[in-house]
Amino acid sequence: MNTKKRIALVIGSGGIKCAAAAGLWRVLQEEGIVVENVVGCSGGSMYAALIANRVDVKVMEEWSKTLWTSDIMQGYTENLKASKDGSLRFTERSGLVDDSALNRKLREVYGEWKFSDMKMPFKVVATDLLSGEKVTLADGGVFDAIRASLAIPIIFPPWEVNERLLIDGAASDPLPIDVAIQDGADIIIAMGFTLDYRARFRSMTAVQEQLNSIYMNNILNSTYAFYNLAHHAEIFPVIPEFDSTISMFDVDKIPSVIEQGEQAARMQLPHIKRLLENV
């Protein structure tokens, strides 16, 4: 579908739920809707990079099944206990998880990729741990940018890029629509994800996770509402709805997650096509 309007795709934070971006990508390809640039945040940065390099949906699905496994959380339980009893000294570079498994898996896919070599323009959003500033990464190695944007505070160690200590992009903007706006996009397809809420609390960690969900969901909703009202660009939200809670390691649910992403994309498809047909 040819259009003179520039279409940007934004994939927000959401952990394993971000695999739904593969379903969105399938719909865009089938409909011939040409995306000109991609922006990713946190878990969404992994799939945004794959889309920017035009990776096949089936490849995305198989890779997702090898990534979201419990070994990326190695050391968490032991380090959590040690941090509570004082035997683990925590600094600004610390994390409760040994990130070697995560780094190995990310390097297997993105290790040699450079922003300059991507098939379409691609940007990643992270957060400066020391200043709180949102940081947009668009040059150098893709692995470093994604690893920084994935650094969930306290869980994964921060990652240094260009002499800045960076953490999860969701800490500053879980759905960075403004990056696409600044790049001159006329139409923005923004896939975002809400975090699940708990019904029961059996530990301090559970309470902390609930508070994090509240913070992130409120930031997501307010960010989208602001840019939808304040900017002239057409912004189409794609927010997949899931029938059950999706935990970080529900690898068996990935095909369903992708399907939900496809369904959410098709709900917006008539509006997107109508706008493009009017160009």
Side-chain angles (χ1 to χ4, degrees):
M1 182 175 294
N2 295 321
T3 172
K4 293 181 180 179
K5 294 200 173 225
R6 297 186 60 198
I7 303 176
L9 180 61
V10 179
I11 310 296
S13 62
I16 194 172
K17 292 180 180 179
C18 296
L24 168 60
W25 179 230
R26 175 186 289 147
V27 171
L28 296 178
Q29 288 183 303
E30 289 178 352
E31 297 295 330
I33 297 175
V34 179
V35 174
E36 293 195 25
N37 61 297
V38 190
V39 181
C41 172
S42 194
S45 67
M46 298 185 298
Y47 294 92
L50 297 174
I51 291 172
N53 245 3
R54 302 189 184 281
V55 173
D56 184 75
V57 171
K58 280 295 181 183
V59 175
M60 289 188 193
E61 180 175 347
E62 292 307 311
W63 177 76
S64 297
K65 293 176 181 177
T66 66
L67 171 71
W68 300 106
T69 53
S70 59
D71 58 334
I72 65 173
M73 294 293 287
Q74 59 189 6
Y76 174 77
T77 302
E78 297 81 0
N79 289 335
L80 179 60
K81 292 178 179 177
S83 67
K84 290 180 178 179
D85 65 26
S87 58
L88 175 64
R89 182 175 179 271
F90 222 84
T91 73
E92 72 278 4
R93 294 181 179 271
S94 299
L96 293 176
V97 169
D98 176 354
D99 62 350
S100 57
L102 174 65
N103 294 343
R104 173 178 51 80
K105 292 183 179 187
L106 293 177
R107 288 189 190 278
E108 288 174 357
V109 178
Y110 309 104
E112 302 301 321
W113 293 14
K114 303 290 185 184
F115 279 94
S116 57
D117 298 330
M118 302 296 278
K119 294 180 180 177
M120 66 176 80
F122 166 58
K123 292 184 177 180
V124 172
V125 168
T127 306
D128 189 309
L129 174 62
L130 302 182
S131 70
E133 179 185 359
K134 179 164 72 176
V135 179
T136 302
L137 303 169
D139 54 39
V142 170
F143 163 81
D144 286 317
I146 291 176
R147 174 59 184 81
S149 190
L150 283 173
I152 302 171
I154 300 177
I155 305 300
F156 294 115
W159 197 256
E160 187 171 329
V161 179
N162 299 328
E163 300 183 348
R164 302 182 77 170
L165 203 57
L166 303 181
I167 59 171
D168 194 349
S172 55
D173 193 346
L175 190 61
I177 293 172
D178 64 319
V179 176
I181 292 174
Q182 292 166 10
D183 285 341
D186 301 298
I187 299 172
I188 299 172
I189 302 171
M191 174 169 271
F193 306 90
T194 56
L195 299 180
D196 296 320
Y197 292 123
R198 288 175 171 267
R200 302 179 66 183
F201 306 90
R202 297 180 177 177
S203 67
M204 181 183 69
T205 301
V207 175
Q208 290 175 328
E209 289 178 355
Q210 180 79 349
L211 292 174
N212 183 66
S213 295
I214 293 171
Y215 296 149
M216 290 297 100
N217 289 343
N218 284 333
I219 293 173
L220 172 68
N221 292 332
S222 60
T223 298
Y224 171 72
F226 172 78
Y227 287 114
N228 190 48
L229 290 172
H231 198 266
H232 67 279
E234 296 289 345
I235 302 173
F236 296 94
V238 180
I239 312 293
E241 296 183 2
F242 302 97
D243 297 331
S244 60
T245 299
I246 309 293
S247 72
M248 190 172 185
F249 307 122
D250 282 340
V251 174
D252 59 312
K253 294 183 180 180
I254 286 177
S256 175
V257 169
I258 293 174
E259 182 180 349
Q260 292 300 317
E262 181 174 345
Q263 290 182 11
R266 292 198 181 281
M267 289 181 64
Q268 285 289 3
L269 189 59
H271 307 295
I272 297 172
K273 292 177 71 173
R274 187 178 304 115
L275 177 62
L276 295 178
E277 288 166 357
N278 289 334
V279 174

